Amino acid sequence: CAVIGDQHFIAASNIKVNATTGKEKITKHSKLVSWGWDKESAQVKSFTPHTITALSSTKCGKWLFSGSNEGSLIIYHTPTGYIHHVYSNLVRPVTCMTIDHSSELLAIGSNDGVINVYSIPLLVAGMPDEAHFSVLSFHSLPITDVKFSSCSDRLYSSSLDQTCKIFSVSEKILLCSVSFPTAVNCLIVAPTEDIVYIGGRDGNIYKLFLWNIPNEDFNIMDNAVDRSNIFSGNDTITCLEISVDGSTLISGTNGGNLLFWDVTSC
């Protein structure tokens, strides 16, 4: 899903529910559904010829980017709802994407463990080759999440290879890699960028202090782990979000539950 400006959000799904039996069926084509924050029912529904696997929107909400499992990138002009550009087979199958705070860069994670970074103005202008800013190929398994810093040039990524990696976008280099005892599904960076919360397949959320990473290739289990820095659960963590003031962490689980954590007291 993606937030469109400050009034709408949009979600993509390739699951179709049989109205008679209630059974779910996975289709090859995704449905895009848009809601207003003040509406309980969907306002706009549309269908795409692609299986959408990731969505991200520019800060102003004018441009919506969607990635597919075929490796295509589709750009929507949200005020009109029209498709602006379709770049077929731009990358390997897309698993996640994110846009930086200035809406200048788009990072796309793929199932081959590679992160491609593109210039948004050049993509919108129809110049995908010129838009290709960098390739970050340091993961060995599919990328599960990517996040830009809100106050620096860092890019954070997580992967099924059980690592979280931190990059300098401007220098196009890997700054450090942190290993975990489980495959990592998602991450979120605190607004002050001093902590990264890591969601694991083992149901735990790991609290990583950025000022306490001893070297460039660090295993979080090498040192004595303070259990107070691990929020334990019994279901796979699938998504993470944090409040603007950094006091409340929200986690989604594979079972469809939302958990709210007071991180100031945890």
Side-chain angles (χ1 to χ4, degrees):
C1 62
V3 176
I4 308 297
D6 58 2
Q7 296 183 358
H8 301 85
F9 69 98
I10 191 168
S13 174
N14 64 333
I15 297 177
K16 183 178 181 181
V17 180
N18 188 299
T20 304
T21 63
K23 292 184 177 180
E24 296 181 348
K25 177 183 178 182
I26 297 177
T27 65
K28 294 182 179 180
H29 311 304
S30 291
K31 177 173 67 175
L32 289 173
V33 185
S34 174
W35 289 268
W37 291 113
D38 58 345
K39 305 288 184 181
E40 292 187 5
S41 58
Q43 292 180 288
V44 178
K45 296 181 181 180
S46 63
F47 294 87
T48 75
H50 307 275
T51 301
I52 302 301
T53 52
L55 290 170
S56 193
S57 171
T58 54
K59 191 173 183 179
C60 66
K62 182 178 181 180
W63 303 106
L64 175 68
F65 295 81
S66 66
S68 76
N69 66 350
E70 301 93 4
S72 299
L73 179 68
I74 306 98
I75 305 176
Y76 295 88
H77 182 244
T78 57
T80 61
Y82 293 146
I83 293 177
H84 185 68
H85 284 300
V86 177
Y87 297 119
S88 299
N89 304 312
L90 185 70
V91 294
R92 298 293 295 172
V94 177
T95 54
C96 53
M97 62 171 58
T98 189
I99 291 174
D100 74 334
H101 61 92
S102 65
S103 294
E104 291 289 326
L105 295 175
L106 171 71
I108 304 174
S110 302
N111 73 349
D112 60 354
V114 175
I115 301 169
N116 288 276
V117 182
Y118 288 88
S119 163
I120 289 177
L122 292 176
L123 282 175
V124 171
M127 297 184 286
D129 293 335
E130 295 84 347
H132 204 181
F133 181 77
S134 64
V135 179
L136 305 170
S137 52
F138 293 89
H139 284 287
S140 58
L141 289 174
I143 309 296
T144 54
D145 203 359
V146 281
K147 292 287 192 305
F148 279 106
S149 162
S150 61
C151 53
S152 72
D153 80 327
R154 292 174 181 167
L155 176 68
Y156 299 82
S157 65
S158 63
S159 168
L160 295 182
D161 64 9
Q162 301 185 197
T163 67
C164 167
K165 299 187 188 295
I166 307 173
F167 303 92
S168 168
V169 178
S170 60
E171 297 182 26
K172 306 177 183 180
I173 59 171
L174 175 67
L175 297 176
C176 71
S177 177
V178 182
S179 300
F180 294 85
T182 182
V184 180
N185 278 349
C186 52
L187 62 88
I188 193 69
V189 186
T192 50
E193 205 176 351
D194 56 341
I195 300 171
V196 180
Y197 297 95
I198 309 294
R201 286 203 168 182
D202 59 358
N204 291 330
I205 301 172
Y206 297 85
K207 190 176 182 180
L208 174 64
F209 293 95
L210 294 179
W211 44 263
N212 197 28
I213 299 176
N215 51 60
E216 295 178 359
D217 193 2
F218 171 60
N219 190 318
I220 200 170
M221 304 305 288
D222 284 347
N223 296 350
V225 177
D226 184 351
R227 295 299 301 182
S228 66
N229 293 328
I230 300 178
F231 307 154
S232 298
N234 54 13
D235 197 2
T236 296
I237 306 298
T238 56
C239 59
L240 291 171
E241 193 52 78
I242 196 165
S243 61
V244 175
D245 63 359
S247 64
T248 304
L249 179 70
I250 306 170
S251 63
T253 70
N254 195 50
N257 296 314
L258 282 177
L259 303 178
F260 292 76
W261 308 83
D262 180 2
V263 295
T264 59
S265 62
C266 292

